[in-house]
Amino acid sequence: MAYLPLRSLSPRPLDAISRAWLDRLTKRLAEPSEDVAAHRAVICRETLAELVFPQYAANWEEAVNDESIPIGTRLALAALDPRNVTLEPEYYSDCDDARYQPVKPLLWLWYSFDRTAVGGQNVELGVALRRLLAGYIFKRVGTNFKAFQHVEFTFGYNLEVGDNVVVHRHVLLDDRGGIRLGNKVSISDYANIYSHTHSIVEQADVTNALTILEDGVRVTYHATVLAGVHVNEQGMVGALAVATKDVRPYHVYVGIPAKSVRVKPNAPDPATILRTADVRLARGGAER
Ligand SMILES: CC(C)(COP(=O)(O)OP(=O)(O)OC[C@H]1O[C@@H](n2cnc3c(N)ncnc32)[C@H](O)[C@@H]1OP(=O)(O)O)[C@@H](O)C(=O)NCCC(=O)NCCS
């Protein structure tokens, strides 16, 4: 394998516009408000209207009610305000409205931005916007958080994120029962991390369980981690695996259900931190 760290790109011609746009949004979000949910709903609506319906940005309310405008256009305009849409978690009985309603407008802005030309695959601006929004949505977020496009959450407010965490495109972070990500966690494209499950008999019988990915964990492409699983420090879940049980530190788990196939060569002395069976794995043997 070749060592290929990310390279730096030269500045884009219009970077100043991105910075000014983000600065304005940063200031608006920091404004004090009596009704945080309503304040953020207006910020979301105004931000999106300017990006996707600039001709109606200054008179959004009149346009929504203007019968001379095609009904589909009025509907699309109305949907820019998060109070006019419902998101799936709102239907959950365990949704805490006091916590969800203030973050909903920012989730709606996050998801909607990803579907615009300026958003989507626009890495630098997208990462900066999501980092800004994460600070208001998550229970906790550390420094240098990096999320690519089309990441989805359940509540958002039940997510704890350490420093230097990277979440790649099309990842589902179901934080219904809570997700805790340590420092330097990496979640690859199309991975799913769950924290709730349903009874096999009664679908409405839901169990929420905190799912934990400790420092240095990597959940790779298309893998799934089920509710309540604890992926220990430096553990790795291989492509397409389904982790149904805890993953041991420094182990690489693959398959369905995921099993350890090796211990990373950088693991501390296996004789001191790992179980006897792990010593065999560290020396190259496979787990039965
Ligand atoms: C988990 C992974 C890193 C394992 O790599 P590795 O330690 O080099 O393991 P190997 O390729 O030597 O494979 C060991 C065994 O597990 C099997 N295996 C490896 N990955 C597997 C997977 N995702 N699913 C099922 N089996 C897998 C191999 O076929 C091999 O089986 P064998 O001993 O019967 O021949 C790798 O397969 C993987 O899933 N990579 C995803 C890509 C990635 O690194 N993403 C990170 C982006 S941040």
Side-chain angles (χ1 to χ4, degrees):
M1 284 190 176
Y3 181 65
L4 298 173
L6 295 178
R7 59 184 184 166
S8 302
L9 299 182
S10 51
R12 309 291 95 188
L14 297 179
D15 278 352
I17 298 182
S18 299
R19 278 195 298 276
W21 182 81
L22 268 175
D23 283 350
R24 190 188 58 176
L25 185 58
T26 304
K27 287 193 186 103
R28 289 225 59 200
L29 286 170
E31 287 166 1
S33 167
E34 298 271 297
D35 185 341
V36 175
H39 180 245
R40 290 178 182 173
V42 172
I43 294 174
C44 171
R45 183 187 87 206
E46 290 179 353
T47 304
L48 292 174
E50 213 178 67
L51 294 178
V52 298
F53 280 116
Q55 67 275 41
Y56 299 123
N59 60 340
W60 175 85
E61 196 148 357
E62 294 90 272
V64 167
N65 294 304
D66 183 347
E67 291 185 8
S68 69
I69 294 175
I71 189 81
T73 307
R74 291 167 58 205
L75 179 64
L77 276 167
L80 302 179
D81 190 311
R83 291 168 293 191
N84 292 324
V85 299
T86 58
L87 297 181
E88 187 183 352
E90 288 179 272
Y91 294 93
Y92 299 165
S93 310
D94 51 329
C95 180
D96 179 351
D97 277 328
R99 296 168 81 195
Y100 189 71
Q101 291 308 321
V103 302
K104 180 187 167 188
L106 307 182
L107 289 170
W108 190 234
L109 177 56
W110 180 315
Y111 300 150
S112 302
F113 174 83
D114 280 358
R115 297 183 181 99
T116 64
V118 68
Q121 287 152 339
N122 186 355
V123 173
E124 187 152 340
L125 179 61
V127 166
L129 173 68
R130 296 180 198 106
R131 192 174 287 164
L132 170 66
L133 297 177
Y136 289 95
I137 297 170
F138 302 167
K139 190 171 184 178
R140 178 174 76 84
V141 62
T143 57
N144 216 19
F145 173 66
K146 192 170 182 185
F148 289 84
Q149 68 270 22
H150 301 305
V151 174
E152 286 196 43
F153 310 93
T154 299
F155 297 142
Y157 62 70
N158 258 347
L159 181 58
E160 295 173 73
V161 177
D163 296 334
N164 299 306
V165 167
V166 183
V167 180
H168 292 264
R169 59 202 154 145
H170 293 279
V171 164
L172 173 65
L173 295 173
D174 158 44
D175 63 314
R176 187 168 177 178
I179 294 177
R180 187 182 301 151
L181 306 178
N183 300 323
K184 287 193 81 174
V185 166
S186 167
I187 305 178
S188 299
D189 311 324
Y190 294 92
N192 306 293
I193 315 293
Y194 286 97
S195 65
H196 85 280
T197 186
H198 300 260
S199 153
I200 57 171
V201 177
E202 171 55 67
Q203 205 204 338
D205 182 352
V206 173
T207 301
N208 285 329
L210 176 68
T211 300
I212 302 173
L213 277 53
E214 298 279 9
D215 291 355
V217 161
R218 284 159 70 194
V219 176
T220 74
Y221 320 124
H222 297 263
T224 294
V225 177
L226 294 185
V229 167
H230 190 157
V231 185
N232 282 285
E233 187 189 354
Q234 298 289 337
M236 186 161 182
V237 182
L240 278 164
V242 179
T244 58
K245 299 203 171 97
D246 293 355
V247 170
R248 284 171 282 167
Y250 287 89
H251 280 249
V252 177
Y253 278 52
V254 301
I256 305 174
K259 303 269 186 210
S260 176
V261 283
R262 65 172 75 247
V263 179
K264 289 184 183 177
N266 63 339
D269 179 6
T272 56
I273 73 142
L274 302 174
R275 296 186 337 212
T276 314
D278 300 327
V279 177
R280 177 174 49 78
L281 287 166
R283 290 182 182 139
E287 191 184 53
R288 277 192 289 272

